[in-house]
Amino acid sequence: MLNGIPVSPGVVIGKVLLLDSRISAVSKYKINKDRIVKEIIRFTRALSKTKRELIEIQRKFVDKVGETHAAIFDAHLLMLEDSSLIEETIEQIRDEQFNVEFVFSQVLKKVIEKFSAIEDEYMKERVADINDVGRRVLKNLLARKHVDLSNLRERVVLVSHDLSPSDTAQMNKNKVIGFATEIGGRTSHTAIMARTLEIPAVVGVKNITQMVLSGDTIIIDGVKGSVIVNPSSSILEKYLKKRAGIKSLERKLSRLRYVRADTLEGQKI
C-alpha cells in the first residue's frame, strides 16, 4: 500500500499501464556556422508544429468539457510565443554554436528552476505546464512520437512519473479509468482536469513507477489517497464493496439533479 495526495475522488480497480513520459538526456554537439540558420529554422518549425498540436488538443477538450476548462491551454499557447524563451534560444545557438535541442533544453531548465524557487505553491505548480510545453517542443525537434491516450484499446489505470495537462486532456475516461503519478499537487492543471473528467487520481506517490509493472492489478482510492498494488483477495473484496457503495450513492444523487430546490414549506432556494 502506497500513499499520495488525493486529487480526484472515486475508487477504481484495474490493470496498470506504465507510462514513461520523460525525455532522456538530450545530445550535445557543436555545429558549423553554416548550420546555424538551419538549426533556427528547425526550432521555429518545432514551435509551429507544437502550436498546431495544442490547438487541436484544446479543440477536442472544448468538445468534452466546454470552453472554461479548455482555457488552460491558452497559457500553454502563450508560452510558445514568449519572446524571452525564443530569443534566448536563438541567441545561444548563434553565440555558442550548439544543436538546437541542447540549447532549448538548457534555456527551459533555467525557466523551470526560477519557477521552482518561488515559495507560492500555485506558482510552483505551473512548472508542470512549462514542462508540458517544453517536452512537446523537444519531442518535435527530436522527431519522437507523442503518446496518444485517446486511442487506447482496453481499460487501464495509468502509472507515470508525471502526466502533463495535454496528456490528461486527451484521456478517454472509458479507457483510462484512473491514474497515479509520482509528482504533482492539488492545484496542478492535471489534477483540475482529472476532476473535470471525473477520473479518480492520486498524485505525489513516491517511487511508484519502480514498484509496478504493466499488467499488475492496482487499486486507486481517490478519496483517501491510497494506492494498492497487487492486492490480496480480502483487500480486493473490501474495495469492490467500497466501489459499489460509491456508485450506488452516485446513482441516487444523479436522480436528484433536476429536482427543484424547495423547502418543505414551499420556499424555492
Side-chain angles (χ1 to χ4, degrees), residues 4 9 38 57 72 79 120 132 135 137 141 148 196 247 249:
K38 290 179 181 178
I57 291 169
I72 285 169
M79 287 180 208
D120 181 81
D132 188 4
R135 191 182 67 193
V137 172
L141 284 168
D148 186 355
T196 302
K247 289 190 177 297
L249 177 60

Side-chain angles (χ1 to χ4, degrees), residues 19-24 135 139 144 160-162 182 209:
L19 185 68
D20 186 2
S21 58
R22 290 173 286 187
I23 292 178
S24 55
R135 191 182 67 193
K139 281 191 174 181
R144 293 182 188 170
S160 181
H161 174 69
D162 190 19
E182 292 180 329
T209 57

Side-chain angles (χ1 to χ4, degrees), residues 46 85 232:
L85 190 69
S232 65

Side-chain angles (χ1 to χ4, degrees), residues 8 36 74 85 108 111 126 179 218 227 256:
S8 186
I36 290 173
D74 289 340
L85 190 69
L108 192 67
V111 175
R126 302 290 69 80
F179 69 79
I218 194 169
V227 176
L256 300 175

Side-chain angles (χ1 to χ4, degrees), residues 189-245:
H189 282 153
T190 297
I192 292 165
M193 285 192 281
R195 290 193 289 274
T196 302
L197 294 169
E198 298 179 345
I199 298 174
V202 179
V203 303
V205 187
K206 290 183 180 179
N207 301 321
I208 188 171
T209 57
Q210 298 170 34
M211 299 179 185
V212 300
L213 295 171
S214 288
D216 282 348
T217 299
I218 194 169
I219 298 171
I220 301 287
D221 186 338
V223 178
K224 286 189 173 181
S226 302
V227 176
I228 303 164
V229 183
N230 293 325
S232 65
S233 55
S234 59
I235 291 176
L236 188 59
E237 186 179 348
K238 172 187 169 184
Y239 274 92
L240 283 168
K241 287 179 181 177
K242 185 173 182 177
R243 184 180 67 176

Side-chain angles (χ1 to χ4, degrees), residues 12-19 64 147-159 163 167-180 197-200 216 218 220 243 247:
V12 292
I13 302 164
K15 296 294 182 183
V16 170
L17 175 60
L18 187 59
L19 185 68
K64 282 185 187 177
V147 177
D148 186 355
L149 297 175
S150 63
N151 292 319
L152 295 173
R153 294 184 179 180
E154 55 185 355
R155 288 160 64 85
V156 297
V157 176
L158 288 181
V159 175
L163 282 171
D167 290 333
T168 315
Q170 294 178 82
M171 287 180 186
N172 178 343
K173 64 180 288 185
N174 294 318
K175 297 297 182 184
V176 179
I177 59 173
F179 69 79
L197 294 169
E198 298 179 345
I199 298 174
D216 282 348
I218 194 169
I220 301 287
R243 184 180 67 176
K247 289 190 177 297

Side-chain angles (χ1 to χ4, degrees), residues 86-97:
I86 296 168
E87 288 168 11
E88 189 172 347
T89 300
I90 291 172
E91 187 179 325
Q92 284 194 30
I93 293 170
R94 286 189 174 128
D95 293 346
E96 299 178 11
Q97 291 181 226

